[in-house]
Amino acid sequence: MRINITAPKSLDALGRIIAVTRRAKVSVVNMQIAADTTIYKIHMYVDGDPDEVNWLVAKLDKLPEVLTIEEIHINR
């Protein structure tokens, strides 16, 4: 599954997002971070149980640093 996140351009925000992702019981296949003028655009591909991916998305969505989050289901 792919998760797209928009966060303010702050290393603290990026660190919190990565810390929550590390706690999830999913495998991060790929993570891309693009810096814009005032925001980070983060694209993650994760593998794992759908309940665990939903847990990760819910936890990330509760972070005040996450401006937008989108979960995209991809059939491999």
Side-chain angles (χ1 to χ4, degrees):
M1 288 186 205
R2 187 169 82 192
I3 302 171
N4 296 330
I5 302 169
T6 304
K9 192 172 181 182
S10 161
L11 288 179
D12 292 333
L14 190 59
R16 288 190 71 184
I17 291 168
I18 291 172
V20 169
T21 303
R22 288 184 62 214
R23 288 193 355 238
K25 295 176 184 171
V26 297
S27 175
V28 177
V29 177
N30 188 3
M31 179 184 275
Q32 298 174 351
I33 303 167
D36 203 349
T37 55
T38 59
I39 60 172
Y40 282 126
K41 294 180 182 178
I42 304 161
H43 305 284
M44 280 192 268
Y45 291 92
V46 296
D47 280 336
D49 184 45
D51 288 339
E52 292 296 328
V53 175
N54 290 336
W55 180 90
L56 173 60
V57 171
K59 285 292 186 183
L60 289 172
D61 195 25
K62 290 179 185 174
L63 289 177
E65 294 88 357
V66 173
L67 302 175
T68 63
I69 187 165
E70 178 184 20
E71 178 182 1
I72 301 169
H73 299 277
I74 299 173
N75 295 330
R76 288 189 179 195

